[in-house]
Amino acid sequence: MKLYIADLHFGHQSVINFDSRPFANVNEMDRVLIDAWNRRVTKND
């Protein structure tokens, strides 16, 4: 999966096909990106 820190493209349906992201829809993509972000970024970052 490609992750972008400048613009994660939340809510951008077309980026799923453009970047060959492995998501069925934008809601799934947003949820996965937010979960991944929250696992890595802490209060001290």
Side-chain angles (χ1 to χ4, degrees):
M1 174 182 352
K2 297 177 185 178
L3 297 176
Y4 300 88
I5 59 170
D7 185 353
L8 297 175
H9 294 281
F10 290 114
H12 187 178
Q13 180 69 39
S14 297
V15 80
I16 293 172
N17 291 331
F18 179 74
D19 280 342
S20 301
R21 293 186 181 193
F23 306 110
N25 57 57
V26 73
N27 291 328
E28 177 188 4
M29 178 180 73
D30 288 355
R31 185 176 60 250
V32 170
L33 290 173
I34 291 168
D35 289 345
W37 182 280
N38 287 335
R39 281 193 307 274
R40 289 290 235 172
V41 179
T42 68
K43 293 178 184 179
N44 297 322
D45 290 328

